[in-house]
Amino acid sequence: DYFLIRAKGNYLSVLGKTKAAIELYDHALAIKPNDNQTLRNKGVALIKLGEMKAAIELFENALAINPNDYYALHNKGIVLSNIGDMKAAIDLFDQALAIKPNDFAILRSKGVALNELGEMRSAIELFDRALTIKPDDCSALRDKGVALSKLGEMKTAIELFDRALAVKPDDVSTLCQKGVTLCDLGERKAALELFDRALAADPNNYY
């Protein structure tokens, strides 16, 4: 039963057993080669392994079967943003949002890409839309804080980092971003404490 095989692959993927999940997706695809859900789920697993080109091919195969698969559009956009093609990624996010306008993950992904392009105000608008859906999401709070810090609004950014850390006290990325912002404000001792907390959670974090 390829449904059961795919479901087990999804479960293993959530557990971080990516290679085992891919083996099951391959088994499912051997039974039903044109199942777009299995194709895109395997693509997501390949992203975790850093196999971006192979992931893109799978998302394109899924979209050939169902051009309105917003999940595949979103994840192809994530891959393109990861390899630095922000404009192409944003185009895919827009296509996905045209199908599902209030999807939290797509709104946040487009915001991150716009932030990377230096379009902070537009990014903040998207983070705000995402936060109306999930007001206590650590990542969206942090992302909005990063955009605000780039605009020089350091104190408001720190408030957002604090809200994010109230949700996830050991979130390494948020600890680092708050530390960097405190450095910019000249509060280096407080920044060092945050970097130490981040290193306690992730001792090999190069950032």
Side-chain angles (χ1 to χ4, degrees):
D1 188 323
Y2 77 91
F3 286 111
L4 183 59
I5 295 166
R6 184 181 68 200
K8 185 176 178 183
N10 294 342
Y11 184 69
L12 288 171
S13 184
V14 170
L15 290 175
K17 298 180 179 180
T18 308
K19 290 184 178 180
I22 288 171
E23 289 179 6
L24 285 164
Y25 293 143
D26 285 338
H27 188 181
L29 288 168
I31 300 167
K32 193 171 182 180
N34 294 322
D35 182 66
N36 72 303
Q37 187 174 336
T38 307
L39 287 166
R40 56 181 163 86
N41 288 356
K42 182 182 175 184
V44 171
L46 287 170
I47 293 174
K48 295 177 184 178
L49 294 178
E51 297 182 25
M52 302 301 183
K53 185 176 179 181
I56 286 175
E57 289 177 4
L58 285 164
F59 296 137
E60 288 174 347
N61 290 341
L63 288 165
I65 298 164
N66 179 9
N68 293 320
D69 186 341
Y70 69 89
Y71 188 89
L73 288 165
H74 177 212
N75 280 283
K76 184 181 175 184
I78 288 173
V79 176
L80 291 173
S81 66
N82 284 342
I83 62 178
D85 194 347
M86 297 302 172
K87 291 184 178 180
I90 288 169
D91 180 62
L92 286 163
F93 297 146
D94 284 338
Q95 290 180 53
L97 287 169
I99 299 164
K100 195 161 186 182
N102 295 315
D103 185 273
F104 169 85
I106 303 169
L107 289 166
R108 179 180 164 250
S109 293
K110 184 181 175 184
V112 170
L114 287 168
N115 197 24
E116 289 294 323
L117 288 174
E119 299 180 29
M120 278 75 78
R121 291 295 179 195
S122 296
I124 288 168
E125 289 177 8
L126 286 160
F127 296 140
D128 283 338
R129 284 175 61 188
L131 286 165
T132 61
I133 301 165
K134 292 185 179 181
D136 296 322
D137 184 82
C138 174
S139 297
L141 289 165
R142 181 191 65 231
D143 293 337
K144 183 180 176 182
V146 171
L148 287 167
S149 67
K150 288 183 179 180
L151 291 169
E153 299 179 29
M154 304 299 190
K155 290 185 178 179
T156 309
I158 287 173
E159 289 173 5
L160 284 160
F161 296 143
D162 285 339
R163 285 176 58 190
L165 290 169
V167 179
K168 286 188 178 180
D170 295 325
D171 185 73
V172 172
S173 182
T174 307
L175 289 166
C176 289
Q177 293 294 345
K178 183 181 176 184
V180 169
T181 305
L182 287 171
C183 279
D184 291 337
L185 290 171
E187 299 181 30
R188 301 189 185 281
K189 185 176 180 181
L192 284 169
E193 291 175 0
L194 288 163
F195 296 139
D196 282 340
R197 282 174 59 187
L199 287 166
D202 184 5
N204 296 316
N205 187 291
Y206 76 93
Y207 183 68

